[in-house]
Structures are given as C-alpha cells and as structure tokens.
Amino acid sequence: MHDELERDVRVYAAAVDKLPLYTEWLEVSTALVHRDAIQEEIAAGKSLSPAAQKLLAEADDRLVANRHVLLKRFPEIFEERGAPREYWWWHLEKGPQVREEALAATREP
C-alpha cells in the first residue's frame, strides 16, 4: 500500500463529489489532473488497497454521472488535448461509454 497514492484517491474522490458545485473550469481541470496522477502511479507499478480501489471506482462512476453537467458548463475542458485513450476522463464528450472502451482497450493484446 502506498500512502501518497491512497491520499491522492481520497483527494480525487472529494473533488468529484464537489463537481456539481464548481463554477470555474480550473476547479474541474484540477480534479481531472488528480486523476492523471493516480493513473500514472498505477502505471508505474503502485497498487491500491481494496478500499482505495473501491473509492476510485465509485469516484469514477460519479464523474461519468456528472458528464452532462460538465460538458454543458465547461466544454473547453474536453476539447482535444491529445490525452491518451486510457485517460478516458479527458474524453467525456465522446459519451458515457468512453470509460469502458478505454478499459477494454488496455486489456487487448
């Protein structure tokens, strides 16, 4: 278990909970950058406890659930940035299935 990674998951989850309240695009962008950091740590070989995995999955679910609100209020965040496909949170404009598609692509040989 990596305490810093687990803390990052908690910060991200708290930020996602506040998404409907945000009025500035930078607040939303910062939450998504936190998600980037988590993904980078996982890709580097760090692992999450089962509780942190659950918290991350639930936060990701809430992010997707808030997709319409985010796209309506902050469309500029989701303009093409060249983010990798596995960073699905930057591609919410492509539809709610973007998360599952990205996860499926990472499993393909």
Side-chain angles (χ1 to χ4, degrees), residues 1-106:
M1 180 167 37
H2 300 277
D3 291 337
E4 187 174 321
L5 178 56
E6 304 259 335
R7 184 206 53 163
D8 288 345
V9 170
R10 288 190 302 274
V11 168
Y12 166 69
V16 169
D17 286 343
K18 295 177 185 175
L19 286 175
L21 305 174
Y22 290 153
T23 58
E24 299 291 328
W25 70 268
L26 188 57
E27 294 169 307
V28 176
S29 183
T30 298
L32 300 181
V33 169
H34 277 291
R35 185 62 177 86
D36 290 351
I38 293 164
Q39 190 67 30
E40 290 165 9
E41 294 286 332
I42 292 169
K46 293 186 180 177
S47 60
L48 292 169
S49 68
Q53 288 175 1
K54 183 177 187 240
L55 182 60
L56 179 60
E58 290 170 348
D60 285 346
D61 289 345
R62 289 191 305 277
L63 175 62
V64 173
N66 280 293
R67 154 183 188 281
H68 290 295
V69 171
L70 298 174
L71 291 169
K72 183 176 179 181
R73 285 191 200 162
F74 312 105
E76 65 276 11
I77 292 174
F78 303 100
E79 293 172 0
E80 186 58 43
R81 298 180 174 274
R85 183 177 181 182
E86 63 268 16
Y87 284 41
W88 56 266
W89 46 94
W90 291 108
H91 302 284
L92 291 175
E93 80 285 358
K94 294 177 182 169
Q97 76 288 348
V98 71
R99 179 180 175 195
E100 289 78 19
E101 290 173 353
L103 293 173
T106 61

